[in-house]
Amino acid sequence: MGASTPRHHLTSQPLPLITKRIFTYALYALLPLAVLHYLLFSPPPPGPPPLAASSSSSPPPHGEVRKAAPAPRCDYSEGEWVRSTAGPRYNGTSCGATIKEGQNCMAHGRPDTGYLYWRWQPRGRCALPPFAPGEFLELVRGRHVAFVGDSLARNQCESLVCLLTSEFPAELVRGGGGGDEERKFRRWVFPSHNATVSVFWSPFLVNGTEKSSAPGGLDYNRLYFDQPDERWAAELHGIDVVVLSVGHWFLHPAMYYERGEVIGCHHCPEPNRTETGFFGVFRLAVKNALREIVTRTARSPPPSPKLAVVTTFSPAHFEGEWDGRDACARSEPYAPGEKEVGYMDREMWRAEAEEVGEAAADARARGARVDVEALQVTAMASLRADAHPGPYMNAFPFAGGERARVPNDCVHWCLPGPIDTWNEILLQLVKRWRTAAVSFSSK
Ligand SMILES: *[C@@H]1O[C@H](CO)[C@@H](O)[C@H](O)[C@H]1NC(C)=O
Ligand SMILES: *[C@@H]1O[C@H](CO)[C@@H](O)[C@H](O)[C@H]1NC(C)=O
Ligand SMILES: *[C@@H]1O[C@H](CO)[C@@H](O)[C@H](O)[C@H]1NC(C)=O
Ligand SMILES: *[C@@H]1O[C@H](CO)[C@@H](O)[C@H](O)[C@H]1NC(C)=O
């Protein structure tokens, strides 16, 4: 794996705090709509639909979430990116069939590779070990790991499959047709370990209808908070590890319903409705999804405990105009202290970490055989403005020469890329869960 050295910080002076705050608010107020609209509805480029993911253990600003665990728990959520000589386990060719085209930065001609040579160094005494495919598969032997959420859930799922297939072959057993709709529900089996990895599209976690550019389609989302999304919830009995990852779809205009009543809206599409924002309903969606998992697990106890993980919000990095040449053109991560986690990103992270704490307590109180954990990636993701596809969401965007205006994806992550680190942390969470299950059953 090679030596890691603390990186030196040579780049630009941080903006004064106030300016930064204002900039951040302005960005969130103005950018997402234009950008997400583009990513979702632009005419056919193989562009990614927008969407979300994040990282691992201690809750952010708010209080303690869980009681002392048997072994010291490593908190990977804060730290710094340090240079590494070790490259990724896979590349855009070796895993090309798995990676969504718009995120295969190598295959799309991204020329620089410096963004691949960084490791996450958590603050404190715990080191984060590199990903070990054999260890992961052994831990989930005979089990099913499912990612549920939006395109960032898919991004993390594809990273995991690429990491695992760097040593063990997989068979794509569902969603092999290659169409965009099919790719929303893919499933792989690793025959060597009889293990399954899958992805379920569910950008709100609860039931809803997505905005659509189809004729007659609505240009806003509708979310039904009293209805689980049965596309994944109905399969829970067959899933051992479920990783939830959502967020960016909540920025779109939407109407929110519960038991037939309107409970709020964002960029309210209906006249005379009062804007409620999306923080509250984002929290509610995570809460309801976790409650669904705990309730269904309590109702039909599995032979061995399940693990539910929430990957926290993964910030976008549009730094300047979204279709500018340099929308996310950095070549290095931010240095420690150079960038604070943005207001919205932190609020999303906080809501998820708090809901995980509550669901974990609820599961214990009800004797449900499911561990609930947060994979807290928000801080580490926030530093990686260098690792998005940017203009390479489309193949060879500068083949015809430089251009001033070019569509950028500054939301998803290049594969390979920093999202591989999310799965290094997932491995540690899975290990902790299996270790607890084994020591429990041997008592
Ligand atoms: C990608 O990985 C494969 C298998 O390890 C290797 O043979 C190939 O040379 C790599 N390609 C690039 C472009 O690095
Ligand atoms: C493979 O795992 C599934 C559960 O995912 C189990 O039902 C099945 O019996 C296993 N098959 C073998 C051959 O171990
Ligand atoms: C989810 O919403 C769709 C469309 O509104 C509806 O047809 C379906 O019955 C709903 N599913 C559940 C489980 O409520
Ligand atoms: C919206 O409110 C305005 C002012 O109160 C009223 O004149 C208008 O009729 C309302 N529109 C709808 C569609 O209810």
Side-chain angles (χ1 to χ4, degrees):
M1 30 180 137
S4 296
T5 51
R7 72 188 295 256
H8 298 290
H9 166 200
L10 350 123
T11 34
S12 59
Q13 289 295 103
L15 293 170
L17 192 57
I18 299 290
T19 316
K20 251 166 57 174
R21 282 250 163 78
I22 292 170
F23 181 66
T24 303
Y25 284 114
L27 206 62
Y28 289 133
L30 304 174
L31 247 176
L33 273 183
V35 161
L36 296 177
H37 181 86
Y38 173 80
L39 288 176
L40 268 181
F41 297 126
S42 52
L51 294 278
S54 304
S55 143
S56 168
S57 52
S58 74
H62 249 54
E64 227 358 68
V65 167
R66 36 180 93 78
K67 300 197 183 121
R73 294 173 70 93
C74 288
D75 176 0
Y76 305 108
S77 65
E78 306 271 1
E80 64 183 282
W81 290 98
V82 297
R83 284 190 193 280
S84 165
T85 52
R89 301 195 63 91
Y90 64 93
N91 62 42
T93 307
S94 68
C95 201
T98 298
I99 303 170
K100 187 175 168 66
E101 278 181 17
Q103 289 145 28
N104 194 333
C105 300
M106 293 176 168
H108 275 186
R110 177 170 173 168
D112 61 314
T113 54
Y115 68 99
L116 299 171
Y117 294 86
W118 297 92
R119 280 200 55 73
W120 180 246
Q121 176 88 63
R123 180 183 297 166
R125 56 202 152 70
C126 290
L128 177 61
F131 193 83
E135 184 182 20
F136 189 96
L137 286 173
E138 197 53 54
L139 289 165
V140 300
R141 181 180 284 280
R143 294 185 158 79
H144 180 176
V145 179
F147 291 83
V148 172
D150 56 27
S151 56
L152 276 156
R154 179 166 58 189
N155 204 182
Q156 187 182 352
C157 177
E158 292 177 3
S159 155
L160 180 64
V161 170
C162 287
L163 290 166
L164 295 172
T165 53
S166 69
E167 281 189 28
F168 298 91
E171 287 165 21
L172 183 61
V173 296
R174 182 179 175 188
D180 246 24
E181 284 305 309
E182 283 208 51
R183 291 177 69 96
K184 291 177 173 175
F185 296 89
R186 285 204 290 175
R187 184 172 297 199
W188 295 261
V189 168
F190 291 81
S192 56
H193 296 76
N194 186 29
T196 302
V197 176
S198 66
V199 63
F200 292 81
W201 178 256
S202 182
F204 315 122
L205 295 180
V206 296
N207 197 15
T209 51
E210 295 161 28
K211 60 195 284 192
S212 154
S213 51
L218 290 176
D219 60 357
Y220 61 92
N221 298 320
R222 289 202 260 209
L223 282 67
Y224 304 98
F225 287 87
D226 55 325
Q227 301 174 9
D229 183 350
E230 294 294 346
R231 290 178 300 180
W232 64 270
E235 307 247 358
L236 271 174
H237 61 90
I239 296 172
D240 300 281
V241 178
V242 56
V243 182
L244 308 178
S245 175
V246 292
H248 290 269
W249 276 78
F250 287 81
L251 310 186
H252 297 300
M255 295 296 301
Y256 308 128
Y257 305 90
E258 196 167 57
R259 293 186 195 82
E261 303 283 324
V262 173
I263 59 165
C265 50
H266 176 51
H267 290 300
C268 303
E270 292 183 1
N272 293 1
R273 296 283 187 190
T274 305
E275 167 75 33
T276 57
F278 56 83
F279 285 138
V281 292
F282 172 67
R283 177 186 286 268
L284 189 58
V286 174
K287 181 193 286 293
N288 287 359
L290 290 174
R291 194 185 46 221
E292 210 57 45
I293 293 169
V294 170
T295 301
R296 290 185 196 214
T297 308
R299 199 187 296 148
S300 17
S304 74
K306 293 180 190 289
L307 172 65
V309 175
V310 175
T311 301
T312 65
F313 189 67
S314 168
H317 293 93
F318 291 96
E319 306 183 320
E321 292 187 78
W322 72 278
D323 62 347
R325 177 67 182 84
D326 296 328
C328 47
R330 296 176 61 97
S331 59
E332 289 192 3
Y334 284 105
E338 191 179 357
K339 180 166 191 297
E340 52 184 333
V341 176
Y343 167 76
M344 180 188 83
D345 307 326
R346 185 169 286 280
E347 288 303 306
M348 305 287 267
W349 175 13
R350 184 212 303 275
E352 293 176 299
E354 290 176 356
E355 290 306 323
V356 162
E358 289 192 12
D362 184 38
R364 280 192 297 269
R366 295 161 70 183
R369 301 192 80 192
V370 55
D371 289 355
V372 188
E373 296 276 357
L375 176 56
Q376 301 189 68
V377 302
T378 307
M380 68 186 73
S382 150
L383 298 172
R384 295 309 304 270
D386 59 320
H388 296 291
Y392 299 97
M393 63 182 281
N394 293 313
F396 299 96
F398 306 110
E402 275 297 322
R403 26 199 289 228
R405 297 281 155 213
V406 59
N408 281 278
D409 176 1
C410 305
V411 178
H412 302 95
W413 304 99
C414 291
L415 291 184
I419 199 166
D420 296 332
T421 300
W422 300 194
N423 288 318
E424 291 180 340
I425 299 171
L426 179 64
L427 167 55
Q428 298 309 313
L429 297 184
V430 165
K431 195 168 166 180
R432 189 188 288 166
W433 160 68
R434 289 301 301 149
T435 307
V438 168
S439 64
F440 177 81
S441 62
S442 63
K443 266 177 202 151

